[in-house]
Amino acid sequence: MNKIILGLTALALAACASGPKNSGPSEGLSVRVSQVLPVNESLDSSAVEVVLTIENPTADAVTVEKVEFELNTKDVAGVIKGSAESGAAIGPGQSAELRFRQSVPFPESPEAYQAVIKRDEIPVELSGTLVVSGADDVRFERSTSVATPTLPKMIINDIQAARYGREGVDITMFLRLVNENMFAVLIEGATYTLTVQDKEVRSEQAGIGVRLVGGAAQEFPVSVVMDEKQFDKETLKTILASGRVSYRVEGAIELKRLTIPFMHEGEIQLAASEE
């Protein structure tokens, strides 16, 4: 079983006036799952942090020996068993919070991994036992979920087009590679292809071995001049007359265990001439 550090914080608990004043520690002791906090760890695993509230309305102190628990993650990682050892005491008429955290690894097989990582959350059945010195074991359970991490994405942060002289168009695009997680992500590679007016005008590698720290982004500027070297005069005249140019940018982000395709398309209104 996994050994997890146990934190215990005593809280005031008002004693019930109608309850027995000299009850033993086995009478009235209760535990409930007050919080289950989803935690993103990496692209290979998630975790849950569980907060138990233990109430001791009796007239005697009790000692928490440990908590034994199970997470049934079903098709993700099966049943994960763990224990959190303590030794902390809860005084008469007091309550306490007990916290422990358990990782949930994602499947090793590529197919199963991709199926899991694309979910928003993973249903989990939590159950366990609070083992208290001198008292009966107290059971707890709760249906909850584990959050899956947010996959990195490529967005268009800004895109502009302007007349270039009398017979051309200048396009400037800023692609942004974004990591919205709180942990770092290694991008093994990212590629893109830019198509303008149904013609491919640029295809490049946007990044190799990029390490994005948590909450970070990296920008890639792209500049293209549409002139008679790439487009015939009639196409350019049509674009300049309409004042709009269509675009499509598509590609893929390569991770260690996953390829993430992306595609953005639309129209850009031409800015004023730079003459």
Side-chain angles (χ1 to χ4, degrees):
M1 290 187 179
N2 297 321
K3 297 295 184 181
I4 301 175
I5 297 175
L6 181 70
L8 197 63
T9 305
L11 305 173
L13 176 67
C16 178
S18 60
K21 297 182 178 180
N22 297 300
S23 60
S26 62
E27 297 179 44
L29 189 69
S30 65
V31 58
R32 61 184 173 85
V33 181
S34 52
Q35 284 184 297
V36 180
L37 307 173
V39 182
N40 283 332
E41 291 186 324
S42 71
L43 292 180
D44 296 319
S45 66
S46 284
V48 287
E49 182 171 330
V50 179
V51 182
L52 301 179
T53 298
I54 308 165
E55 296 184 346
N56 177 23
T58 72
D60 299 289
V62 297
T63 300
V64 177
E65 294 185 355
K66 61 181 177 179
V67 172
E68 296 178 337
F69 61 89
E70 291 185 358
L71 288 178
N72 186 353
T73 68
K74 300 178 182 178
D75 61 328
V76 178
V79 176
I80 302 172
K81 295 183 178 182
S83 66
E85 296 187 347
S86 179
I90 306 176
Q94 289 189 327
S95 69
E97 284 188 351
L98 180 155
R99 292 174 178 259
F100 61 87
R101 178 169 165 169
Q102 177 62 52
S103 294
V104 178
F106 298 146
E108 290 294 330
S109 78
E111 295 79 9
Y113 173 79
Q114 292 188 33
V116 168
I117 202 72
K118 291 178 181 179
R119 302 182 192 177
D120 290 331
E121 58 183 29
I122 303 165
V124 170
E125 298 296 327
L126 167 67
S127 61
T129 302
L130 183 72
V131 180
V132 183
S133 178
D136 295 334
D137 294 347
V138 184
R139 294 282 298 169
F140 60 88
E141 60 183 24
R142 180 165 169 175
S143 296
T144 182
S145 62
V146 176
T148 56
T150 301
L151 295 175
K153 58 187 177 182
M154 186 77 81
I155 65 172
I156 298 177
N157 186 48
D158 190 22
I159 183 168
Q160 300 175 1
R163 290 173 171 82
Y164 181 73
R166 296 188 178 212
E167 299 180 348
V169 176
D170 187 4
I171 297 176
T172 303
M173 175 186 296
F174 293 92
L175 294 175
R176 180 171 288 185
L177 188 56
V178 181
N179 174 24
E180 296 179 342
N181 298 289
M182 297 307 295
F183 53 82
V185 172
L186 177 62
I187 308 296
E188 296 200 341
T191 58
Y192 73 89
T193 297
L194 174 61
T195 300
V196 177
Q197 294 295 122
D198 296 323
K199 181 176 181 178
E200 183 179 313
V201 295
R202 182 71 60 85
S203 185
E204 290 184 345
Q205 184 89 33
I208 301 176
V210 175
R211 185 179 183 274
L212 290 178
V213 299
Q218 183 166 344
E219 201 159 76
F220 302 93
V222 181
S223 295
V224 174
V225 175
M226 298 173 60
D227 55 23
E228 293 182 7
K229 295 178 181 179
Q230 296 180 339
F231 293 86
D232 59 76
K233 288 185 178 181
E234 290 303 316
T235 300
L236 289 173
K237 285 181 180 179
T238 300
I239 293 172
L240 293 170
S242 67
R244 296 179 179 276
V245 56
S246 64
Y247 73 90
R248 183 174 69 256
V249 58
E250 54 191 329
I253 302 169
E254 296 289 341
L255 305 176
K256 181 180 178 182
R257 304 175 64 186
L258 187 67
T259 297
I260 307 169
F262 64 87
M263 194 270 285
H264 306 287
E265 61 183 346
E267 281 190 341
I268 321 166
Q269 185 169 354
L270 301 185
S273 173
E274 296 185 357
E275 290 185 280

